[in-house]
Amino acid sequence: MQLERLADTFFNLQVMQQYLPKIVEGFFVTVQIALAVVLAGIAAGLALALVRAFRIRALNFFIILGVDVLRALPPLVLIIGFYFALPTIGIRMSAWVATWLALSLVLAAFAEEIFWAGILAVPKGQWEAARSTGLSFVQTLTDVVLPQAVRLTIPPLTNRTIAITKGTALGAVVAVGEILYQAQTAYSFSYNPSPLVLGAAAYLILFIPVVYFGRWVETRFAWKR
Amino acid sequence: MGGDRPILEVRGLHKSFGALEVLKGIDLAVRKGELVFVIGPSGSGKSTLLRCCNRLEEPSSGSIRVEGVDVMAPGTDINAVRRRIGMVFQSFNLYPHLDALGNVTLALRKVVGQPRAEAERAGQQALARVGLAEKAKSFPNELSGGQQQRVAIARALALEPAILLFDEPTSALDPELVGSVLAVMRELRESGMTMVVVSHEMRFARSAADRVIFMDHGLIVEQGTPEKLFNAPEHPRIRDFIASIEH
Amino acid sequence: MDQLIQSFFNLEILSQASPILLSGFWMTVKLTLVVVPLGLAGGLVVALASTSRSRLVRWLTVIYVDFFRAFPPLVLLMFIAFGLPFLGFDPGAFVAVALSFLLNTSSYYGEIFRAGIESITRGQHEAARSTGLSGPQTMAYVVLPQAVKNVVPDLVSNTLEVIKLTSLASVVALPELLFAARQAQSLTYNATPIIAAGIIYLVCLWPLVRLLSRFEHRQIALH
């Protein structure tokens, strides 16, 4: 008897059917934001790390400062800040952009640190050998150092990226139409938590393969301590 | 008069790793106070033989008895049996988070259940026996390889085992540190400890071993006194092997 | 410039909002002091479970960890906060947050502990077992002390993440710092409280970030 009520409440097929299209819509929005965040964040992080390789004191100071700030602030605070605080000084952006920007900046900060540590870890001898054969600074960086550095950075980078893309759910707080938002809205319209179950399933479908991919990457590129 | 019953009795020991049979039927009896030296090419199964004796490897078939106790029997308390068998490893395996005294006394405190003060006294004694009494508070990373191995020996000694198994104890040491460890092993023998040593230190075998065993491809090919094995072995393979090691 | 100061650094608004912000801050601290130890303990249990000799236990552990690492924490929180009442009990916001955080953080901490345990070489196990120490004794006196020491940087890193995670509690109306800031903002129509909250987070967490940066460099360099 209890089981029936449970099924009716959490697995109400009628409600699920009704709101499935919305959840699917939200699924695509989630994927959209996640991809945009990953691309922007990693590209920006790599670019910043490369800039840091030129060791220009003044620039580095700002890079380090910015990275520290972005690693210390909760992403949700950033999203709220971009969406609610910035408009008061005239900078407006959509909720989607606010979410994307916040998450990308955070990922960029972590990625920069990871790439930089990887670059530093390539032995100085590699630089010396390459330069002594006449390769320029940039050539050495791109053809000798980076390939080695990237290998070291893949496991921590994958982990961090996965963690941050789960932050796309935070977009629901500012009404971005991703999975959680759709599920929440459906829940408040129907007074039934089944859409939440549907939303949970959608996230699992999305992220379980991602986590397994991450695990595979970790073991493939693992280094012993 | 040597002990009536062998301290270690191995009968028909077979061990396979998957499809690879590493031990193809080993019979061995080690009497009290004997120093048995095991030599042979790599892959011959010497280490595996040792590791089966305290069940770090599970034998595929055969029997192993230590002081009459069947190591393989399901009812045997393996932790209690292991107190009677001391093992010294090629890579020392000292606990890096404990100092020398801590390494030596851990089992005394947790397995034997001795109170700390008593355990530390016994531990100091063991360390003194290997010549490292003053290093009790040093951590493994502060000690040389030879010192670490001697602490490992003290760790095994502290439990007052009936037999000590040495798995290539000096192979990971720089040549100039080997002597200090061999000296300890010699002293142990003189005091009557039963020992089985897997090693390439032929000179040590010549001078200290009671019996030398040559193993190849998972079988004992020949065994006898050092004089016999080193000077007049029946199998020419053995002569070649020893010649290649001693160069 | 003037507008910037008026909107973001308005001292008058700040003094109005400071009581709310302060109580929000304390709630964040309270939450952290509950959630972090819970997560650490849970993680240790999970890691030990992953070393179990029972295949079933190991398998269940893997499922648990993969599940809660795949599940976005906010979604889990909403699920527990809004779903549980339908099952008959309403635990309140704090418990809902604590429970969802426990589930989430125990899998992350669990993975960290597990990696630490696995990094301890077999030789250590063998040396300990060869002196007669039992499996549990070996774990307690030889393996865990070394494993935990090895993963301290990762533990600190994850703890930083957990502290930042507390801001999620604002979504279920738990009056922690971010919630307080948003409330103050809507009451005063001024963004200063949000900026203030941001600065508070920064001041508290920046030292941890610096510390971690040092660790990370050492870690990658020691590959």
Side-chain angles (χ1 to χ4, degrees):
Chain A
M1 182 79 79
Q2 271 285 56
L3 207 60
E4 230 186 84
R5 238 194 52 186
L6 205 73
D8 231 14
T9 314
F10 286 98
F11 294 94
N12 192 313
L13 289 176
Q14 234 185 345
V15 177
M16 284 190 177
Q17 216 177 359
Q18 193 182 359
Y19 292 102
L20 184 62
K22 280 289 172 184
I23 303 282
V24 171
E25 211 183 287
F27 183 88
F28 285 114
V29 173
T30 298
V31 170
Q32 210 185 25
I33 305 181
L35 283 176
V37 166
V38 169
L39 286 172
I42 294 189
L46 185 57
L48 285 172
L50 290 176
V51 167
R52 216 166 148 179
F54 285 91
R55 302 207 188 244
I56 304 168
R57 267 259 171 114
L59 262 179
N60 279 4
F61 174 75
F62 284 109
I63 294 180
I64 297 174
L65 189 66
V67 163
D68 277 358
V69 167
L70 288 168
R71 287 176 62 178
L73 285 175
L76 186 54
V77 172
L78 280 172
I79 295 177
I80 299 288
F82 288 160
Y83 193 63
F84 288 117
L86 282 187
T88 65
I89 58 169
I91 304 177
R92 263 165 245 283
M93 59 183 77
S94 72
W96 195 102
V97 171
T99 306
W100 166 81
L101 186 61
L103 293 176
S104 300
L105 285 173
V106 172
L107 180 55
F110 279 99
E112 187 277 335
E113 279 295 288
I114 293 173
F115 281 127
W116 181 242
I119 291 176
L120 282 181
V122 177
K124 201 155 159 254
Q126 295 290 305
W127 287 94
E128 294 176 348
R131 295 309 301 275
S132 71
T133 62
L135 286 167
S136 75
F137 177 84
V138 176
Q139 283 173 324
T140 305
L141 189 58
T142 48
D143 296 325
V144 174
V145 175
L146 268 187
Q148 297 184 54
V150 165
R151 199 173 192 283
L152 289 171
T153 58
I154 289 187
L157 194 59
T158 320
N159 263 322
R160 184 55 71 173
T161 305
I162 295 176
I164 289 179
T165 49
K166 287 195 278 155
T168 52
L170 297 176
V173 178
V174 291
V176 175
E178 50 78 62
I179 300 176
L180 180 59
Y181 178 75
Q182 302 288 13
Q184 248 188 303
T185 316
Y187 158 77
S188 48
F189 278 155
S190 64
Y191 292 116
N192 183 292
S194 299
L196 287 178
V197 173
L198 213 52
Y203 275 115
L204 286 176
I205 293 177
L206 180 57
F207 280 112
I208 286 193
V210 170
V211 166
Y212 273 111
F213 173 69
R215 243 186 223 273
W216 174 81
V217 165
E218 242 177 61
T219 39
R220 176 100 162 54
F221 291 91
W223 20 269
K224 296 277 178 201
R225 248 183 259 234
Chain B
M1 179 151 50
D4 300 294
R5 181 170 206 144
I7 299 264
L8 176 65
E9 277 179 280
V10 175
R11 268 202 260 267
L13 181 62
H14 287 259
K15 171 66 185 169
S16 297
F17 291 99
L20 179 66
E21 197 181 17
V22 173
L23 293 177
K24 301 182 179 155
I26 303 282
D27 294 303
L28 176 64
V30 179
R31 290 184 309 278
K32 185 163 155 65
E34 256 199 298
L35 195 167
V36 175
F37 218 81
V38 182
I39 63 176
S42 52
S44 54
K46 320 187 291 292
S47 275
T48 311
L49 167 60
L50 235 53
R51 291 158 63 88
C52 281
C53 290
N54 67 352
R55 263 178 97 176
L56 281 180
E57 304 287 357
E58 286 287 338
S60 307
S61 70
S63 85
I64 301 177
R65 285 181 179 275
V66 173
E67 291 183 304
V69 174
D70 183 350
V71 170
M72 299 301 305
T76 308
D77 180 358
I78 189 63
N79 296 326
V81 171
R82 282 173 173 162
R83 280 168 47 189
R84 309 298 301 149
I85 312 173
M87 183 162 243
V88 178
F89 299 84
Q90 181 176 357
S91 47
F92 334 137
N93 292 336
L94 288 183
Y95 311 132
H97 61 301
L98 299 174
D99 61 19
L101 191 59
N103 262 272
V104 172
T105 57
L106 182 63
L108 280 177
R109 287 188 295 123
K110 303 297 176 185
V111 180
V112 177
Q114 279 181 1
R116 190 178 270 273
E118 207 184 309
E120 294 199 342
R121 243 176 297 136
Q124 281 289 160
Q125 268 179 342
L127 282 172
R129 236 180 128 179
V130 302
L132 288 174
E134 74 283 7
K135 295 285 183 184
K137 293 293 171 193
S138 301
F139 281 83
N141 64 359
E142 298 166 346
L143 300 172
S144 76
Q147 289 170 329
Q148 287 185 56
Q149 191 61 302
R150 284 188 280 152
V151 172
I153 295 177
R155 179 174 61 180
L157 274 182
L159 290 157
E160 294 182 351
I163 178 170
L164 275 178
L165 307 175
F166 291 82
D167 190 355
E168 310 233 19
T170 56
S171 301
L173 293 176
D174 289 335
E176 64 271 19
L177 300 174
V178 169
S180 58
V181 174
L182 292 181
V184 168
M185 290 169 69
R186 208 183 293 274
E187 188 269 321
L188 283 174
R189 181 192 178 278
E190 242 109 86
S191 63
M193 175 63 75
T194 313
M195 297 154 73
V196 180
V197 180
V198 169
S199 173
H200 295 304
E201 294 291 331
M202 299 301 171
R203 261 184 316 158
F204 182 73
R206 273 186 208 266
S207 61
D210 293 305
R211 194 175 12 144
V212 176
I213 294 179
F214 181 83
M215 276 182 72
D216 197 3
H217 290 110
L219 287 168
I220 294 181
V221 172
E222 193 178 330
Q223 56 182 306
T225 62
E227 294 75 49
K228 174 141 188 295
L229 254 288
F230 286 128
N231 300 328
E234 283 161 28
H235 296 80
R237 240 184 18 250
I238 300 181
R239 206 196 321 259
D240 295 334
F241 173 76
I242 293 175
S244 71
I245 295 288
E246 286 194 318
H247 286 106
Chain C
M1 191 67 211
D2 213 26
Q3 200 197 10
L4 184 70
I5 299 184
Q6 277 289 80
S7 306
F8 284 0
F9 302 101
N10 192 314
L11 290 175
E12 204 194 298
I13 304 263
L14 185 59
S15 65
Q16 272 182 2
S18 50
I20 305 184
L21 287 177
L22 212 59
S23 89
F25 177 75
W26 285 124
M27 177 56 91
T28 296
V29 170
K30 212 167 82 167
L31 197 52
T32 304
L33 289 177
V34 166
V35 168
V36 170
L38 262 182
L40 282 170
L44 204 53
V45 168
V46 168
L48 288 175
S50 73
T51 65
S52 159
R53 254 186 284 169
S54 152
R55 225 197 208 176
L56 178 66
V57 172
R58 285 203 310 266
W59 188 71
L60 284 174
T61 306
V62 171
I63 292 189
Y64 176 90
V65 168
D66 282 347
F67 185 87
F68 287 111
R69 287 209 317 168
F71 217 75
L74 181 58
V75 180
L76 184 60
L77 175 57
M78 309 239 80
F79 212 81
I80 292 184
F82 297 146
L84 274 192
F86 281 89
L87 286 178
F89 34 79
D90 190 348
F94 194 94
V95 171
V97 172
L99 181 58
S100 62
F101 276 28
L102 170 63
L103 292 170
N104 176 278
T105 62
S106 64
S107 16
Y108 279 99
Y109 280 129
E111 279 295 279
I112 294 173
F113 282 128
R114 187 183 62 83
I117 291 175
E118 284 183 4
S119 74
I120 303 302
T121 63
R122 247 182 91 196
Q124 290 291 305
H125 283 266
E126 290 183 350
R129 294 309 305 273
S130 75
T131 61
L133 286 162
S134 71
Q137 286 176 322
T138 301
M139 180 61 74
Y141 302 118
V142 175
V143 176
L144 273 183
Q146 297 182 58
V148 172
K149 214 190 281 194
N150 284 347
V151 295
V152 164
D154 284 338
L155 289 176
V156 173
S157 167
N158 201 49
T159 303
L160 174 61
E161 295 307 305
V162 175
I163 299 178
K164 289 194 281 175
L165 206 66
T166 58
S167 56
L168 260 56
S170 62
V171 180
V172 291
L174 190 70
E176 46 71 69
L177 185 53
L178 182 59
F179 182 81
R182 293 186 70 182
Q183 247 191 344
Q185 189 216 11
S186 54
L187 285 174
T188 62
Y189 295 104
N190 187 290
T192 302
I194 295 187
I195 303 299
I199 294 180
I200 294 177
Y201 276 113
L202 260 181
V203 165
C204 294
L205 297 179
W206 185 80
L208 219 58
V209 171
R210 279 278 97 218
L211 182 68
L212 274 174
S213 196
R214 287 250 211 90
F215 277 148
E216 256 162 32
H217 281 233
R218 230 185 287 159
Q219 197 175 48
I220 298 198
L222 282 178
H223 74 283

